[in-house]
Amino acid sequence: MATILDGKAHAEQMLAEVRAGVEARLAQGLRAPCLAVVLVGEDPASQVYVRGKVKACADTGIRSLEHKLPVDTDQARLEALIEQLNSDAGVDGILVQLPLPKGLDAKAALHRIAPAKDVDGFHPVNQGLLLEGLPGHRPCTPSAVMHMLKAYGVPLKGTRAVVLGRSEIVGKPMALLLLEEHATVTIAHSRTVDLPGLCREADLLVAAVGRPGLVEGSWIKPGAVVVDVGINRVEDVALGERIFAAEPRKLETLKTKGGVLCGDVRYGEALEVAGAITPVPGGVGPLTIAGLMQNTLRASQL
Ligand code: GUN
């Protein structure tokens, strides 16, 4: 039976460290760090994520400023707000919640954010600094996953790591951070030949593709460490019957509530094979927010 990597508990520990850092600033007579959160439109999932971020700010003593813009906001208006926040000395971090409504150019907006305030770590300057191994804001999810893997003493040096997914938010930066710790890293994706065979070679498997239950138990090397970044809502009972065969309680929830959250990995099957695994929910999700709080505190110290 796999060890559960308790992302929620680890995130609490990270948040406690941030809280201590904020208190140390206040004790020196400095102001609290300040995060500006920009939400365009009313996407329900984004509203939930933003609420979580604002609550984490309150819990750690970080000041948050919410900027809610209507769904029909144009690019110029969004970029003007970003410029205004860039030049506001009272704002340390700027986060533009993604995805943006159709018609807005997310990349162009993210490129407008001053790199020092880019607490998501999505600006090309921060991505370049990561590539070069120089200090800069690292994307929150991969950096918090690394923080947790180190805390659990997961061996990284020389380990064979497979990262499933090549997004700029998770897959690519995750691969670079693992490389920095001397892992031998392969990035796999939808065009990879023999995905199951490749995954079976991994001592560390990070799944970040947003495909519910893609990774089967038989894809996992016995004893491997599995990090499941996927957060997917499944409503299709036929799909649920396939991917939750080893998780009767999830299937029951799906049938009674009409939907259930799950990762990219078939958790019930993986538990029997893996050495350690993150659950969904309660694994990587809380870590992402903790990573954001860490970045915001760091931004206030620049
Ligand atoms: N939407 C989903 N994940 C993220 C994230 O990490 N940052 C932002 N800004 N938007 C997101």
Side-chain angles (χ1 to χ4, degrees):
M1 194 75 168
T3 302
I4 310 297
L5 298 174
D6 190 341
K8 203 166 164 214
H10 188 75
E12 282 301 326
Q13 216 173 302
M14 289 171 72
L15 291 173
E17 285 170 20
V18 172
R19 203 174 300 126
V22 172
E23 278 161 16
R25 274 181 67 82
L26 298 177
Q28 291 167 45
L30 299 169
R31 62 163 175 76
C34 174
L35 174 67
V37 181
V38 179
L39 175 62
V40 188
E42 289 174 7
D43 177 66
S46 290
Q47 286 175 327
V48 172
Y49 289 135
V50 164
R51 269 203 298 277
K53 290 168 186 180
V54 169
K55 180 178 180 299
C57 285
D59 291 347
T60 49
I62 291 173
R63 185 169 163 242
S64 63
L65 298 173
E66 273 188 90
H67 289 268
K68 293 186 175 168
L69 300 178
V71 69
D72 60 358
T73 299
D74 66 15
Q75 190 77 22
R77 165 86 184 88
L78 173 60
E79 293 190 19
L81 172 61
I82 292 170
E83 288 297 351
Q84 178 199 319
L85 296 168
N86 280 343
S87 49
D88 185 339
V91 170
D92 300 297
I94 303 170
L95 178 139
V96 176
Q97 185 63 32
L98 302 176
L100 290 173
K102 272 202 192 78
L104 288 174
D105 182 341
K107 276 222 163 120
L110 296 176
H111 289 195
R112 279 272 176 182
I113 298 175
K117 297 190 179 189
D118 165 40
V119 284
D120 258 329
F122 295 164
H123 191 282
V125 165
N126 285 315
Q127 298 207 4
L129 291 168
L130 167 61
L131 196 70
E132 291 195 337
L134 294 172
H137 290 305
R138 305 301 198 225
C140 308
T141 303
S143 72
V145 166
M146 293 303 292
H147 198 277
M148 181 181 70
L149 292 177
K150 287 181 191 169
Y152 271 98
V154 172
L156 299 169
K157 196 170 170 177
T159 212
R160 183 77 205 265
V162 170
V163 177
L164 262 176
R166 52 180 159 179
S167 72
E168 268 137 42
I169 295 182
V170 183
K172 288 181 193 172
M174 187 80 239
L176 288 169
L177 290 173
L178 287 166
L179 189 61
E180 206 165 71
E181 294 300 325
H182 314 288
T184 302
V185 188
T186 305
I187 302 181
H189 46 80
S190 54
R191 313 284 169 87
T192 297
V193 174
D194 186 19
L195 200 51
L198 181 69
C199 291
R200 260 179 234 120
E201 291 176 17
D203 300 307
L204 171 62
L205 180 63
V206 180
V209 280
R211 294 264 310 273
L214 173 74
V215 178
E216 302 176 20
S218 66
W219 294 23
I220 297 167
K221 180 175 177 176
V225 173
V226 179
V227 175
D228 191 350
V229 182
I231 303 181
N232 313 293
R233 185 174 159 82
V234 172
E235 295 179 352
D236 177 349
V237 174
L239 173 65
E241 279 174 344
R242 259 191 293 124
I243 66 176
F244 302 136
E247 277 181 284
R249 286 198 9 220
K250 275 239 153 134
L251 186 57
E252 196 52 36
T253 308
L254 164 58
K255 285 180 176 168
T256 53
K257 301 241 167 91
V260 71
L261 283 184
C262 73
D264 293 344
V265 178
R266 299 189 188 185
Y267 185 70
E269 296 177 19
L271 270 181
E272 301 300 319
V273 195
I277 185 166
T278 59
V280 178
V284 173
L287 289 173
T288 298
I289 292 188
L292 175 67
M293 298 302 112
Q294 268 188 339
N295 281 355
T296 305
L297 173 61
R298 196 176 310 113
S300 75
Q301 295 162 338
L302 291 176

